[in-house]
Amino acid sequence: MTRRRKLRGAIVVVLSLVLVAGGIYTATVLLQRSEQLVTEGCTAVVGTQRAELATDQAANAALITAVSVRRGLPPRAASIALATAMQESKLRNIGHGDLAGPDSRGLFQQRPSQGWGTQEQVMDPNHATNAFYDALVEVPGYVTLEITEAAQRVQRSAYPRAYAQHEAMGRSFASVLSGQTHGALDCTLRAPDAAGDPGALLAEAESAYGGIPATASGRTLELEAADNLAWSLAHWAVANAKEFAVTRVQVDGQSWDRQARNGWQNSDASDGKVVITFAEAPA
């Protein structure tokens, strides 16, 4: 009887382990499938205005706006630039032109033959954005012009009225990404599939904004900034969360959590700094 009881006990243990392992496997599969069903994208909400972009478009919008912040330009400049880039390239850094400009390239479809730089330069989003602003600030009174008119003065497009359809998007994302509107950019993302690199994100941020006092510790990066600049950096980090495997952003008493997917929430985040947390390597 003792042997039988021991045998039964062993069988029960083995079956329990099998069931547990099977449960873990099933849960893992279900989690992976649920992640695949997540529709990724970024939303900017300013008052009653709501604008949406794909994650790669939002990252480019964040760069374009960050450059305007670095140059000390008003949010109106970013609004014009975003509407222009959306019309010209769908806010994507494309390496081909169209019938109107077969040598056009990049975010703003700038033409090397028209003096915008070499093909390599116009395909560099940072260079292309600065080149656009260089031309925009030469337009007298551009801040008070209609967005479509200001854009046309720079681009000289064959379809000058086309920029108007992107004005609302441009205003919303410019307001949010410049830090004028706080806690208003949310990106819905799947779980990261790789570990985040604080150094890589910092290098990208400094390329757009210039030097930023920063401290890295493990999977956390702290950027010293306050007021609208802090919110510009925080929203920039959210817009780039997919590429850099960011899981959480904290600033000015609020936090954005990638996994929670519930937008900005109240937290104990301190003023005067933006705290960015990165994913660990997946198991």
Side-chain angles (χ1 to χ4, degrees), residues 141-159:
Y142 76 88
V143 174
T144 60
L145 294 177
E146 291 292 331
I147 286 180
T148 186
E149 184 177 351
Q152 174 62 6
R153 295 277 188 92
V154 175
Q155 297 295 107
R156 303 188 183 280
S157 169
Y159 307 98

Side-chain angles (χ1 to χ4, degrees), residues 119-131:
Q119 285 201 17
E120 182 179 5
Q121 286 175 325
V122 298
M123 281 299 296
D124 174 0
N126 207 306
H127 173 91
T129 300
N130 274 292

Side-chain angles (χ1 to χ4, degrees), residues 87-105:
Q87 174 59 30
E88 297 292 352
S89 70
K90 299 301 181 186
L91 268 171
R92 292 186 167 103
N93 195 35
I94 55 179
H96 59 80
D98 54 28
L99 293 177
D103 64 333
S104 301
R105 299 289 185 274

Side-chain angles (χ1 to χ4, degrees), residues 40-101:
E40 296 187 312
C42 296
T43 305
V45 179
V46 180
T48 60
Q49 185 68 48
R50 178 186 179 93
E52 299 181 356
L53 291 175
T55 55
D56 62 326
Q57 292 174 313
N60 286 327
L63 166 67
I64 290 170
T65 308
V67 172
S68 75
V69 171
R70 179 179 186 175
R71 294 174 63 127
L73 300 177
R76 182 70 170 180
S79 298
I80 297 167
L82 292 176
T84 302
M86 175 59 85
Q87 174 59 30
E88 297 292 352
S89 70
K90 299 301 181 186
L91 268 171
R92 292 186 167 103
N93 195 35
I94 55 179
H96 59 80
D98 54 28
L99 293 177

